[in-house]
Amino acid sequence: MTRRQVMTGILAGGAVAAGAQAAAPAFTLPKLPYAFDALEPYIDARTMEIHHDKHHQAYVDNLNKAIAAHAEWAKYPVEELLGKFSQLPEGLKTAVRNQGGGHANHSLFWQVLGKPTGKAPQGRLARDIDRSFGGLPQFQSKLKAAAMGVFGSGWAWLNIDSENRLLVEASANQDSPWMMQRKSVLGIDVWEHAYYLKYQNRRAEYLDAILHVLDWAAISHRYEQMGK
Ligand code: MN
């Protein structure tokens, strides 16, 4: 029993019942690994605050509500739940696809962004981007085209397929690379909530801006760990 469960039990005067109610949620919002204003002037602090504290929190909360009725699935990390999508009970699928996808996609998104440094991809990732796309500028224009091509809300990705090839892909809504049996190197959120306060309908300007705050040092490091 955790300290929190014990304390709730004392307050409620019934450790067992209250302890059950106070069980830690299966999924939690990851802390943003930098300040809300770290991506200024490209991505404004207010957008980051609402995006992380409100939008991402809502995906986490809604996923926790849905998983409560399917406790046997609560032990899996969200990426693994998405990977097992076809095995999920019908009553859980929509929540995992939309809320679980939202949780997994945003958890990756925060990790691939960071203070603008002007650095380029490094090491093995630099080499593989050159081999796969012909160079960084060619990759960037392909990623931007995929993001511009999303009708309505969705994501653009740099993914690794089952044959270890790097691919630029797009997905609708919160459909997630893990659901498509991909590993993802990076994702760009192209929902309007990611840019509307500063860029309104100008998605192309937002995409140019976000290319400045991709943290290539962090992305390159993660790529090395992915065991491609
Ligand atoms: Mn978003």
Side-chain angles (χ1 to χ4, degrees):
M1 185 174 281
T2 66
R3 183 179 161 80
R4 184 168 145 230
Q5 286 171 325
V6 172
M7 289 179 66
T8 309
I10 292 165
L11 290 171
V16 175
Q21 281 170 9
F27 302 98
T28 52
L29 182 68
K31 201 169 147 28
L32 198 65
Y34 35 75
F36 292 128
D37 65 359
L39 311 185
E40 294 268 11
Y42 299 103
I43 307 296
D44 61 287
R46 183 77 177 130
T47 294
M48 290 301 291
E49 183 178 0
I50 296 170
H51 200 172
H52 178 268
D53 288 8
K54 305 293 183 190
H55 289 280
H56 191 171
Q57 182 73 64
Y59 294 119
V60 170
D61 291 346
N62 289 327
L63 181 61
N64 280 325
K65 274 181 213 153
I67 210 86
H70 301 273
E72 70 278 22
W73 293 93
K75 64 186 174 199
Y76 296 104
V78 67
E79 294 83 1
E80 209 171 322
L81 270 186
L82 288 158
K84 294 177 186 294
F85 187 78
S86 62
Q87 303 164 43
L88 297 179
E90 287 305 316
L92 187 57
K93 279 186 172 175
T94 301
V96 167
R97 182 175 193 164
N98 294 336
Q99 314 299 338
H103 178 34
N105 295 346
H106 287 87
S107 296
L108 175 65
F109 187 51
W110 312 131
Q111 288 179 53
V112 304
L113 302 177
K115 269 189 179 303
T117 62
K119 283 189 182 160
Q122 301 160 11
R124 198 154 56 86
L125 181 58
R127 190 198 68 199
D128 288 353
I129 285 178
D130 284 348
R131 283 185 187 168
S132 304
F133 306 106
L136 182 62
Q138 290 89 336
F139 161 70
Q140 287 171 325
S141 55
K142 198 163 183 179
L143 185 67
K144 191 177 165 186
M148 288 302 294
V150 172
F151 180 74
S153 298
W155 290 75
W157 305 99
L158 175 61
N159 289 339
I160 304 171
D161 73 6
S162 57
E163 290 167 33
N164 278 336
R165 289 175 300 206
L166 280 181
L167 302 171
V168 169
E169 297 185 292
S171 67
N173 303 311
Q174 294 296 354
D175 285 0
S176 191
W178 294 275
M179 205 177 83
M180 302 179 271
Q181 311 305 319
R182 302 282 201 243
K183 295 180 199 169
S184 191
V185 181
L186 68 88
I188 305 294
D189 191 340
V190 284
W191 284 57
E192 281 187 343
H193 68 224
Y195 60 89
Y196 202 85
L197 284 182
K198 186 176 171 83
Y199 297 100
Q200 292 82 49
N201 61 324
R202 304 187 304 277
R203 187 187 285 183
E205 277 183 43
Y206 158 70
L207 293 170
D208 288 336
I210 208 136
L211 290 176
H212 284 97
V213 290
L214 285 179
D215 184 344
W216 282 115
I219 298 165
S220 301
H221 181 72
R222 260 192 61 249
Y223 188 70
E224 302 279 344
Q225 313 298 312
M226 285 173 80
K228 175 175 164 285

